[in-house]
Amino acid sequence: MVMHNQKANTLQRGIQKLAARPLASRLLARILPTLDNAVMLITGTRFNATSLLAGLPVILLITVGAKSKLERHTFLVAISFENKLVLIASNFGGKRHPNWYFNIKANPHVKASLPGQDAQPYVARLIEGKERIMYWKAANQLYPGFQAYQKRALPRTIPIIVLTP
């Protein structure tokens, strides 16, 4: 697996701080999927808007809709650990879990595509306990905005999902 959790530059860290704010995160939740699609189409899936703007590693997650049973595509920040991908179901700090989370709960067999690569099959699982604490710490080191999202999401606890090939 080739995915680097690289350090964001000064401008990207500034965008990350802005994105953690309530108004900006609501706006980004609406426009980023469209921007990500456009940038990936233009660059042949090598880049996406979130990575370029905020310096965060992003994957394309492919799930089966929990109700529709149709294939669903979602761009998500992902943290790579060995051969696993870690997803944070923050929903930008919203009061409910994101739709992709419910899709994974209904069918944990998913596909994920790293920038510039074909989609590969994974099995998703919700993590808890010490493992969750470890990944939550890593997520906040990557993007400190997750902490602000958790405060806004209360009383909801933001789930962490691990994808294993």
Side-chain angles (χ1 to χ4, degrees):
M1 173 181 303
V2 179
M3 183 171 168
H4 304 283
N5 295 331
Q6 64 189 32
K7 187 94 167 134
N9 64 37
T10 303
L11 176 61
Q12 291 168 330
R13 285 192 306 274
I15 291 171
Q16 288 180 17
K17 286 180 184 177
L18 178 65
R21 301 182 63 85
L23 182 60
S25 65
R26 282 195 301 274
L27 176 64
L28 289 171
R30 287 178 175 71
I31 66 170
L32 271 180
T34 302
L35 286 176
D36 279 329
N37 278 326
V39 172
M40 288 188 79
L41 181 64
I42 291 167
T43 66
T45 72
R46 289 188 316 272
F47 300 102
N48 57 69
T50 303
S51 290
L52 292 174
L53 293 172
L56 296 171
V58 173
I59 64 162
L60 174 62
L61 178 68
I62 304 167
T63 60
V64 173
K67 293 179 184 175
S68 71
K69 306 299 183 214
L70 299 174
E71 191 172 89
R72 301 294 184 197
H73 295 195
T74 309
F75 293 102
L76 297 171
V77 170
I79 305 159
S80 63
F81 274 90
E82 299 157 357
N83 64 339
K84 300 173 190 164
L85 295 172
V86 179
L87 308 177
I88 311 299
S90 68
N91 203 16
F92 290 89
K95 294 293 183 187
R96 62 180 304 255
H97 299 315
N99 290 337
W100 63 263
Y101 170 79
F102 296 108
N103 294 347
I104 282 176
K105 282 190 72 170
N107 182 0
H109 297 277
V110 302
K111 291 182 183 175
S113 176
L114 282 61
Q117 296 183 12
D118 293 331
Q120 301 297 316
Y122 290 86
V123 177
R125 68 179 172 89
L126 179 65
I127 59 168
E128 297 175 346
K130 290 180 183 178
E131 189 179 21
R132 185 190 188 287
I133 292 167
M134 177 188 70
Y135 288 132
W136 181 249
K137 183 178 177 181
N140 281 284
Q141 287 173 345
L142 175 69
Y143 175 54
F146 285 130
Q147 200 61 37
Y149 292 170
Q150 179 58 75
K151 287 179 185 173
R152 282 202 308 273
L154 289 174
R156 175 174 82 90
T157 299
I158 293 176
I160 298 178
I161 312 298
V162 172
L163 304 183
T164 305

